[in-house]
């Protein structure tokens, strides 16, 4: 059958969709880009904010027309919203054929077959440990004859942290780590298949191998560091990135593994959420602003060139002007290279949903805009500071906006555009002299 997957939400969902596409092609199906060409339409959904759910529901609702024209069309809702709503989703969108939750994704291929053979609606949302080992396939496409050199691996699933605003622990279940052998074997296969840059994924990747314990390991201990060191020895790999680590898991052992490695990039995503201790406590984040600053300082001391990105929520219940000012101050101090700023969205089932969503929408918008403005100014200044330096980039290919240029990324995750020379190839490291800074990216000359 011809199958189309549309993915909403985070990188873990992107990775899940890629694994599902891999499983489906192994089972003999063909993945297609156009919805109209598909016999099966799959929507891999997100629940993290209300907006994400509304978007997926709207899209699935719209597919009713397509189904009226093609009654054989199979439509499935997968992932986090499917997990959260289960049967309710079938009631709301009765033209759905199935609802497949996060714990049952590995059963997709046989489920699609059985629905084709015997048309009936199915809801499968029980948690299963098999999803941990059953999502190993990759659907990698060769573009212009070059293998795609970026690959993603999910090293943990689920989350045990229960930040008060967050639905993830409810829709993704308990935190479990894959075995080191399994992760390393997958990484080796990907490397043999042309992968040069590996992105390790988990809700709290740095808790990898720590048994789901919400107290970080003591000084000197970090199973995640051991994993990084083992992956660092795969010769074909040029770069390793990971997201998202919880700030309190950066102990001496992990920092030493990062600085001592050949491949781990000096760009750390360090979710802040808020710069106010009062709000952090209400969010059930297990650090203070001072604790967060200490992690940043330790990482900077070990890697003077490190860049940071972050996630911040504005308008958490009860967030005052002073709380917001503290967030803004801390953000400017850390000088992030990128930040994802979210307006608080109450999630039914998460703990903070029982508190009044007290910050008016206009105030959320205003705070959001202020942080974005700060970010823009600071990023432009940081980029100007790079002019004249020589940076190593991993060549990506032609620039999306201007096919006459090529682009690549620094280890610090800055995008650099350059004019092509005779011999650059995607997936190789090159030195670039930075000649000019734009608002969000750099320009340079290949050396
Ligand atoms: N596990 C990752 C985050 C997963 S959710 C981590 O802890 O870093 C991605 C981001 O969405 C979170 O970091 C948070 O900033 C945001 N988010 C989660 N729940 C939210 C909510 N209810 N409203 C607004 N933003 C939310
Ligand atoms: Fe959500 Fe917190 Fe877990 Fe991240 S660590 S997924 S924000 S509960």
């Amino acid at each position: 059958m011809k199958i189309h997957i549309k993915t909403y939400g985070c990188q873990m969902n992107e990775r899940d969709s890629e694994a599902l596409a891999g499983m489906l092609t192994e089972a003999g199906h063909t993945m297609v880009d156009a919805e109209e060409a598909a016999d099966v339409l799959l929507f891999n959904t997100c629940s993290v904010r209300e907006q994400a759910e509304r978007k997926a529901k709207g899209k699935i609702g719209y597919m009713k027309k397509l189904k009226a024209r093609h009654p054989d069309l199979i439509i499935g809702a997968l992932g986090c919203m499917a997990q959260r709503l289960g049967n309710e989703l079938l009631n709301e969108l009765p033209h759905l054929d199935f609802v497949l939750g996060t714990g049952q994704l590995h059963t997709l291929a046989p489920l699609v077959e059985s629905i084709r053979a015997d048309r009936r609606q199915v809801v499968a949302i029980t948690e299963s440990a098999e999803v941990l080992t059953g999502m190993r396939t990759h659907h990698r496409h060769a573009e212009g004859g070059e293998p795609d050199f970026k690959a993603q691996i999910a090293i943990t699933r689920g989350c045990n942290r229960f930040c008060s605003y967050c639905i993830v622990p409810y829709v993704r279940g308990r935190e479990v780590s894959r075995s080191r052998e399994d992760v390393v074997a997958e990484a080796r296969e990907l490397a043999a298949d042309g992968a040069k840059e590996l992105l390790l994924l988990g809700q709290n990747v740095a808790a990898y191998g720590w048994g789901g314990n919400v107290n970080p390991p003591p000084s000197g201990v970090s199973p995640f560091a051991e994993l990084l060191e083992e992956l660092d020895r795969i010769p074909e790999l040029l770069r390793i990135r990971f997201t998202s680590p919880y700030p309190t898991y950066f102990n001496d052992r992990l920092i030493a593994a990062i600085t001592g490695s050949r491949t781990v990039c000096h760009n750390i995503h360090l979710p802040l959420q808020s710069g106010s201790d009062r709000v952090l406590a209400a969010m059930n984040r297990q650090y203070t602003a001072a604790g967060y600053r200490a992690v940043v300082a330790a990482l900077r001391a070990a890697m003077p060139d490190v860049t940071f990105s972050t996630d911040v929520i504005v308008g958490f219940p009860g967030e005052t002007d002073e709380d917001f000012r503290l967030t803004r101050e801390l953000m400017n101090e850390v000088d992030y290279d990128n930040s994802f700023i979210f307006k608080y969205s109450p999630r039914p089932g998460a703990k903070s949903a029982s508190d009044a969503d007290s910050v008016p929408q206009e105030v959320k918008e205003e705070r959001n805009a202020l942080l974005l403005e700060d970010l823009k100014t600071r990023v432009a200044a940081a980029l100007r500071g790079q002019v004249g330096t020589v940076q190593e980039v991993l060549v990506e290919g032609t620039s999306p906006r201007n096919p006459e240029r090529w682009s690549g990324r620094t280890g610090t995750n800055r995008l650099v555009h350059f004019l092509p020379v005779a011999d650059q190839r995607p997936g190789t490291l090159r030195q670039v002299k930075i000649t000019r800074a734009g608002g969000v990216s750099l320009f340079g000359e290949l050396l």
Side-chain angles (χ1 to χ4, degrees), residues 135-287:
M135 298 283 288
R136 235 176 145 281
T137 53
H138 287 261
H139 182 64
R140 292 159 53 72
H141 24 234
E143 265 169 48
E146 285 284 348
D148 192 358
F149 64 86
K150 290 189 188 187
Q152 312 192 338
I153 301 188
I155 65 169
T156 71
R157 285 191 171 268
C159 183
N160 286 354
R161 303 215 63 94
F162 292 92
C163 300
S164 66
Y165 50 80
C166 186
I167 198 69
V168 171
Y170 304 92
V171 293
R172 287 264 176 191
R174 294 293 57 74
E175 179 191 296
V176 261
S177 294
R178 290 173 56 194
S179 74
R180 205 194 303 174
E181 299 68 50
D182 198 22
V183 173
V184 172
E186 187 174 332
R188 284 189 196 288
E189 283 161 29
L190 287 163
D193 191 31
K196 303 289 180 202
E197 178 170 314
L198 203 55
L199 176 62
L200 308 177
L201 294 174
Q203 298 305 335
N204 175 8
V205 266
Y208 173 81
W210 192 234
N213 185 342
V214 292
N215 299 311
S219 163
V221 180
S222 172
F224 180 56
E226 293 169 24
L227 175 70
L228 289 177
E229 285 164 350
E230 201 161 331
L231 295 172
D232 193 57
R233 288 195 285 271
I234 300 178
E236 298 92 336
L237 291 181
L238 300 176
R239 282 184 177 172
I240 295 174
R241 301 182 186 276
F242 54 86
T243 196
S244 289
Y246 196 80
T248 54
Y249 283 68
F250 284 95
N251 63 12
D252 50 351
R253 178 74 180 84
L254 178 53
I255 294 176
I258 296 171
T259 55
S261 85
R262 175 181 61 89
T263 54
V264 179
C265 290
H266 290 189
N267 170 245
I268 306 287
H269 184 69
L270 202 60
L272 170 66
Q273 314 301 357
S274 170
S276 153
D277 288 347
R278 208 183 56 77
V279 175
L280 285 170
M283 287 176 162
N284 190 31
R285 298 289 288 186
Q286 302 294 314
Y287 52 86

Side-chain angles (χ1 to χ4, degrees), residues 119-136:
R119 300 296 298 229
R120 73 207 144 83
Q121 286 182 309
V122 176
V123 174
I125 55 169
T126 47
E127 270 193 41
S128 153
E130 278 159 56
V131 76
L132 190 65
T133 48
M135 298 283 288
R136 235 176 145 281

